Amino acid sequence: MDFVSGEILTKDGLRKGYIAFEKRKILEIGKGRPLKKPVCKGLIIPSIVNSHTHIGDSFIKQKKIKLPKNVEKLVAPPEGLKHKLLRKASDNDIIKGMEKSIDMMIKNGTKYFCDFRENGILGINQLKTALHLLKIKCLILSRPNSLEYDKKELDLLLKDSNGIALSSISDWDYSELKKVVKDTKDKKKIFALHASEIIRENIDDILDLKPNFLVHMIKASESDLTRVKEMNIPIVICPRANSFFGLRPDYKLLKKVKNDILIGTDNAMINSPIILEEIKYIRSVTKEFSILNLLYIVTYNARKALNLDCDILCPNSKADFIVLNKKSLKPLYVSDW
Ligand SMILES: [Zn+2]
């Protein structure tokens, strides 16, 4: 049996004590000092969830290409630079890049991530190859190869992934989009999309699609955010990626409206997929959220919103935790799982 000790971020807040664990299982959460010298001391939190990535473009970061700081020119399908580079890249380049990003996530305490997978069936297969044998779980949200509804393709995508995630309503003919959403919902799979990133998009059109969650909502008005809140739809913010494009979430407004926030790292070609870096960045630009708030968001809230196992940091649950240096947020210990 081993121990970690310090402060523990439980579902009900912070408490001092220790965790006793053995064979990847938590045996006890106790107060005071552990019976044996702990393997690590610090701030103990559940493993982290990265709620929004595109790790297929990791290989582009390694190419050291100068990227345009414009959403349309860089990431909008089908002609954004990223999509041109993805079409030209070999399977091997893409998969190796994904593996590097996954490895980085694991080392930094991320156990789950939710990827918006481009490139249709091929994109799903590339990600599954990269995930093979690695100790991480991924919600794969796939995307049709073109901006058109193709029933046959969609059936295959839905069969092989957890759902569909699209670039934005602005990229699609709305009637085509509705067909995609209907099939996704009929199969009881997840539907998500980027929304109001660089322009304010029509909130009625967005909400009529009944998305499971939205990403960005930078340009959303207070009334848009309120309606999203009323429908209990979480919003994933990706502040470092936004700042690359000169954009910034309205932290004050998100807090005022009490939106359910999740945190993602977005395109791996722009930033590392390390959520702890995202938290440090958020704290450097706003004091609206405390570090503990943010850590709670990327652990308990994200698990709840993405329907993951919420039974964590309690006796008989999996030893699914990390220990951080409370000041620097550096991971000191990542439990084996
Ligand atoms: Zn994105």
Side-chain angles (χ1 to χ4, degrees):
M1 183 162 54
D2 283 312
F3 296 88
V4 288
S5 71
E7 290 179 280
I8 308 165
L9 184 66
T10 70
K11 237 177 235 175
D12 309 312
L14 213 52
R15 63 184 255 194
K16 278 191 179 160
Y18 64 86
I19 292 178
F21 63 103
E22 192 175 53
K23 292 183 184 154
R24 299 177 191 170
K25 199 170 151 190
I26 290 180
L27 302 179
E28 185 198 349
I29 298 190
K31 282 183 189 164
R33 286 184 176 199
L35 292 170
K36 185 173 119 182
K37 191 175 179 242
V39 288
C40 189
K41 285 183 186 175
L43 174 62
I44 306 160
I45 66 167
S47 69
I48 290 170
V49 181
N50 187 339
S51 297
H52 182 60
T53 61
H54 304 256
I55 65 162
D57 52 48
S58 306
F59 77 98
I60 299 172
K61 191 160 202 222
Q62 287 133 33
K63 282 189 183 295
K64 302 209 160 51
I65 297 168
K66 198 167 186 313
L67 303 174
K69 296 195 170 197
N70 173 295
V71 174
E72 292 271 297
K73 285 185 185 153
L74 184 57
V75 296
E79 291 307 317
L81 178 64
K82 157 181 162 152
H83 299 282
K84 284 184 186 163
L85 292 170
L86 272 170
R87 284 194 290 271
K88 269 202 271 174
S90 70
D91 259 21
N92 194 45
D93 269 0
I94 294 174
I95 294 164
K96 286 270 166 305
M98 287 175 164
E99 284 171 350
K100 271 198 174 169
S101 283
I102 294 169
D103 187 53
M104 226 184 274
M105 283 194 265
I106 293 171
K107 284 187 176 132
N108 285 280
T110 293
K111 188 180 176 184
Y112 299 94
F113 70 107
C114 179
D115 198 70
F116 275 28
R117 193 77 310 280
E118 289 100 356
N119 281 9
I121 297 289
L122 177 63
I124 298 175
N125 290 336
Q126 286 164 337
L127 179 52
K128 285 189 173 172
T129 306
L131 285 165
H132 186 59
L133 298 179
L134 292 175
K135 290 177 174 179
I136 196 163
K137 289 178 185 156
C138 178
L139 275 180
I140 304 176
L141 301 184
S142 58
R143 184 184 290 187
N145 237 331
S146 70
L147 297 167
E148 274 166 27
Y149 170 76
D150 172 343
K151 168 115 184 81
K152 232 178 167 181
E153 183 194 23
L154 207 67
D155 282 349
L156 286 171
L157 292 173
L158 289 168
K159 190 171 148 273
D160 277 357
S161 67
N162 301 93
I164 300 290
L166 301 178
S167 51
S168 73
I169 56 166
S170 304
D171 295 331
W172 279 75
D173 176 290
Y174 195 69
S175 59
E176 291 283 288
L177 188 56
K178 279 192 119 166
K179 291 184 218 164
V180 171
V181 176
K182 187 179 180 305
D183 284 14
T184 309
K185 298 278 172 189
D186 283 351
K187 296 249 159 68
K188 301 204 173 357
K189 297 267 176 154
I190 299 171
F191 173 72
L193 77 166
H194 300 103
S196 293
E197 181 180 5
I198 46 172
I199 51 158
R200 181 181 172 209
E201 292 172 311
N202 186 310
I203 195 68
D204 294 316
D205 287 348
I206 294 168
L207 296 181
D208 279 351
L209 302 172
K210 300 199 170 47
N212 292 78
F213 64 88
L214 296 169
V215 181
H216 299 314
M217 294 297 275
I218 303 275
K219 301 290 180 186
S221 68
E222 183 168 348
S223 66
D224 296 346
L225 293 176
T226 304
R227 295 200 43 212
V228 171
K229 168 73 190 163
E230 283 164 1
M231 286 179 69
N232 290 321
I233 297 171
I235 297 171
V236 186
I237 58 167
C238 310
R240 283 185 303 159
N242 298 146
S243 81
F244 178 85
F245 298 114
L247 302 166
R248 177 189 156 106
D250 192 336
Y251 302 102
K252 233 183 193 161
L253 197 53
L254 289 165
K255 193 175 169 185
K256 182 181 167 198
V257 176
K258 297 196 176 77
N259 286 103
D260 299 318
I261 301 169
L262 306 177
I263 300 173
T265 53
D266 214 359
N267 299 95
M269 65 182 165
I270 299 175
N271 292 303
S272 67
I274 303 174
I275 284 288
L276 292 167
E277 293 300 322
E278 208 68 44
I279 289 179
K280 281 191 234 171
Y281 176 79
I282 296 173
R283 286 287 298 170
S284 74
V285 295
T286 179
K287 294 288 178 262
E288 293 293 335
F289 302 94
S290 71
I291 288 186
L292 286 180
N293 275 162
L294 296 167
L295 290 174
Y296 203 93
I297 286 170
V298 301
T299 54
Y300 294 103
N301 290 1
R303 276 175 172 78
K304 194 172 158 223
L306 299 176
N307 255 333
L308 303 172
D309 183 9
C310 290
D311 223 6
I312 33 167
L313 290 202
C314 51
N316 292 320
S317 67
K318 278 183 218 148
D320 181 6
F321 60 82
I322 61 174
V323 185
L324 302 174
N325 176 309
K326 195 177 177 184
K327 259 199 178 146
S328 66
L329 293 187
K330 193 174 174 282
L332 304 173
Y333 182 86
V334 176
S335 70
D336 188 21
W337 46 64

